[in-house]
Amino acid sequence: MKQTYNATLVKALAKKYKISPRYVRYCLKGERSPCFADKIKKDYKRFIRKIEGIIEKECKSL
């Protein structure tokens, strides 16, 4: 099954690291060098957790 990533977050990480969104997706898939890719994966997971927390908080307040 095709893995999808949050496009806004991918663009933000690309901007942060001054790389292309395509390269960010390659790193997230594990198709690039481990040391730099691990840093991007860690950031992506951290931001996704924050986003999910905000969504959950908003849903509970409705």
Side-chain angles (χ1 to χ4, degrees), residues 29-54:
K29 290 179 191 176
E31 296 177 358
R32 293 296 180 254
S33 64
C35 55
F36 187 65
D38 288 345
K39 184 185 269 191
I40 292 174
K41 286 179 187 178
K42 186 177 179 180
D43 277 354
Y44 185 84
K45 288 179 183 178
R46 183 170 51 94
F47 286 126
I48 284 294
R49 274 188 252 121
K50 285 184 178 184
I51 291 168
E52 288 172 347
I54 292 168

Side-chain angles (χ1 to χ4, degrees):
M1 188 155 103
K2 185 177 177 182
Q3 177 68 40
T4 59
Y5 301 102
N6 183 303
T8 304
L9 187 48
V10 168
K11 289 177 187 177
L13 288 171
K15 188 175 181 180
K16 176 182 177 180
Y17 290 107
K18 298 178 182 163
I19 56 177
S20 71
R22 174 179 260 178
Y23 192 80
V24 172
R25 286 188 297 274
Y26 284 153
C27 291
L28 294 172
K29 290 179 191 176
E31 296 177 358
R32 293 296 180 254
S33 64
C35 55
F36 187 65
D38 288 345
K39 184 185 269 191
I40 292 174
K41 286 179 187 178
K42 186 177 179 180
D43 277 354
Y44 185 84
K45 288 179 183 178
R46 183 170 51 94
F47 286 126
I48 284 294
R49 274 188 252 121
K50 285 184 178 184
I51 291 168
E52 288 172 347
I54 292 168
I55 292 170
E56 187 176 317
K57 183 179 176 182
E58 287 295 318
C59 288
K60 286 182 180 178
S61 68
L62 295 176

